[in-house]
Every structure is written in C-alpha cells, then in structure tokens.
Amino acid sequence: MAHYHGTAHDTSNGGGPDTFRPGDATSIGVRLGRQIGRIGLAMRAAYGIPGIGAAGQDLTITDRSTGTLIEVTPVVAVRLTSAGSGGAVRAEMGPTLHLWRLNDEVRSRLGALAALAYEWPIVARWSGAIRAEGTISPSWWNGGDLPPEYVRRPTWRYGVTLGLHCRV
C-alpha cells in the first residue's frame, strides 16, 4: 500500500483543493535479487493505479480513471542483523524511475528509495518479507499543468510492502 504526498500545493488559500497528488494505491511487483554474504543486489518493478487525488482539509477525491504508475528500482541491501531463527533485518536503498502515465502521456521522474526490511523463513525455500519504505522524486506535474496558484513540490511516497520470496 502506497501513500503519496507533495506534488502540487495551493499557495493562495483560494478555496480550491490544498494539494493535487497521486492518490493512495495498492501496487503489485516483482523483485529479482542475489544475496552475497551481508550484501544483496536486486532489481524490482511495481505497477499500480494511484490516479489523481485532490486533497483538502477534510476530504480527498481520487480519480482512478487515469494516472497509472510503473516504478523500476535497482536496490542494494545490507544485512544489519540476524533476527529469530533464520530471520534478518536489512537496510535497502537505490535510485528509482517512476513512469507515470497521465492520459496518453508518459512522464518519467528519477528519484531515490530507502527501506528497512525484515525477512523470515517460512518453509524449505520460501520466506516472507515486510518492508517499510519511502521514495522521493521531483513533482510529477509539468509546468503549466496546474493553475498559477499551485506550486510544484517533490512527490513523496511511503508505504509498507509484503512479499513472498523463493530461493532457487
């Protein structure tokens, strides 16, 4: 589940929405990686439909008919400590490419990702993982997309991911 903040903010307090941003969304992804001792390398890709959200003080309206997102991230992971029987806590980071499709236009933004993950064994080759993560990238809006009272701001995403891992 991903929650978005930033992107565009109303500076005039003119009665419109305080912000325009991607809506909160659930995404699905795949991650391929290799662990060598304490260091791991992985490539992950995720797809979601956050749409566009207009948020005020007490209300957020999200249009999910537009605004799909593909996120591609190469990740470096460092095992911080072992936890439980076979579990591990890892810190992860890497650059991230956001490809946000708004109507027929694809907008690309390069950002950064940081995460803290806990992985634990389930059975045989299978393990589970939970990650608390966040990204930051330039505003997903282009100049001229919004009325002049709106200022573009960096787009923040934070969320929690759950995963199932198979060692081959």
Side-chain angles (χ1 to χ4, degrees), residues 11-22:
T11 59
S12 70
N13 297 323
D18 293 339
T19 64
F20 282 110
R21 59 177 175 78

Side-chain angles (χ1 to χ4, degrees), residues 2-154:
H3 301 280
Y4 293 89
H5 292 280
T7 305
H9 181 73
D10 182 6
T11 59
S12 70
N13 297 323
D18 293 339
T19 64
F20 282 110
R21 59 177 175 78
D24 296 339
T26 300
S27 60
I28 187 164
V30 65
R31 175 185 168 122
L32 300 171
R34 181 79 177 148
Q35 192 72 29
I36 303 167
R38 294 179 58 91
I39 305 296
L41 301 173
M43 179 62 78
R44 67 181 226 175
Y47 173 81
I49 305 174
I52 299 172
Q57 293 176 352
D58 298 323
L59 178 66
T60 299
I61 298 172
T62 303
D63 174 8
R64 297 224 188 267
S65 65
T66 188
T68 59
L69 173 66
I70 295 174
E71 184 177 290
V72 179
T73 309
V75 176
V76 174
V78 177
R79 190 168 118 216
L80 301 175
T81 187
S82 297
S85 61
V89 176
R90 298 185 190 336
E92 302 176 347
M93 63 179 67
T96 185
L97 174 63
H98 295 134
L99 300 172
W100 190 42
R101 183 173 184 194
L102 185 61
N103 298 323
D104 291 330
E105 180 185 3
V106 176
R107 299 171 181 201
S108 60
R109 301 294 190 264
L110 189 59
L113 172 130
L116 191 61
Y118 172 62
E119 298 174 1
W120 66 94
I122 297 175
V123 297
R125 296 180 167 190
W126 293 92
S127 62
I130 185 167
R131 284 177 179 76
E133 62 183 36
T135 66
I136 185 171
S137 64
S139 177
W140 290 5
W141 298 109
N142 290 333
D145 281 347
L146 300 166
E149 61 269 16
Y150 286 87
V151 174
R152 292 183 301 153
R153 297 220 171 129

